[in-house]
């Protein structure tokens, strides 16, 4: 099975070399959509899981839409960049659209006050 898969990949590389390049660029654009989710969740305390997932899904949808409609690059800009902008906008909108956790920011709730008063 490995030999057959290897021969198939070799044939694809020999007869359709641009396809490998397109798949490589598409995979990097898709992986780049994880960057806002990781960075925002590390440095923005209010970031919600729903906001991160919604932004990630939006970014991937924009990448795939631009790729499927043959608009990548979009006006000379790599398709991953407009997708990142959409990703960030949706993540922020969903995060701000949801109510904040009870107790406000971490470290200001009743449990932390109890620890400080002891």
């Amino acid at each position: 099975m490995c030999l057959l898969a290897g021969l198939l990949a070799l044939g694809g590389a020999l007869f359709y070399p641009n396809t490998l390049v397109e798949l490589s660029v598409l995979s990097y654009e898709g992986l780049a959509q994880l960057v806002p989710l990781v960075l925002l969740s590390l440095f923005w305390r209010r970031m919600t899981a729903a906001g991160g997932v919604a932004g990630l899904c939006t970014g991937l949808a924009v990448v795939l839409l631009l790729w499927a409609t043959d608009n990548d690059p979009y006006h000379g800009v790599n398709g991953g960049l407009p997708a990142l902008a959409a990703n960030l906008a949706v993540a922020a909108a969903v995060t701000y659209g949801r109510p904040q956790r009870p107790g406000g920011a971490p470290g200001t709730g009743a449990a932390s006050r109890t620890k400080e008063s002891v």
Side-chain angles (χ1 to χ4, degrees), residues 74-89:
Y74 183 69
H75 295 292
V77 177
N78 185 302
L81 197 58
L84 279 175
N87 184 339
L88 285 170

Side-chain angles (χ1 to χ4, degrees), residues 16-41:
Y16 304 105
N18 289 337
T19 304
L20 290 176
V21 173
E22 288 177 15
L23 287 175
S24 175
V25 169
L26 182 63
S27 70
Y28 287 126
E29 289 174 356
L31 281 173
Q33 300 311 308
L34 286 171
V35 172
L37 176 64
V38 171
L39 290 180
L40 287 177
S41 63

Side-chain angles (χ1 to χ4, degrees), residues 1 7 16 39 46 54 61 70 72 78 84 86 89 95 109:
M1 192 56 143
L7 289 175
Y16 304 105
L39 290 180
R46 186 168 179 190
D70 212 17
D72 189 14
N78 185 302
L84 279 175
T95 297

Side-chain angles (χ1 to χ4, degrees), residues 35-93:
V35 172
L37 176 64
V38 171
L39 290 180
L40 287 177
S41 63
L42 286 174
F43 296 113
W44 187 24
R45 290 181 177 236
R46 186 168 179 190
M47 177 73 174
T48 62
V53 171
L56 177 66
C57 291
T58 301
L60 288 174
V62 170
V63 164
L64 290 175
L65 180 71
L66 289 174
W67 179 75
T69 59
D70 212 17
N71 286 319
D72 189 14
Y74 183 69
H75 295 292
V77 177
N78 185 302
L81 197 58
L84 279 175
N87 184 339
L88 285 170
V90 169

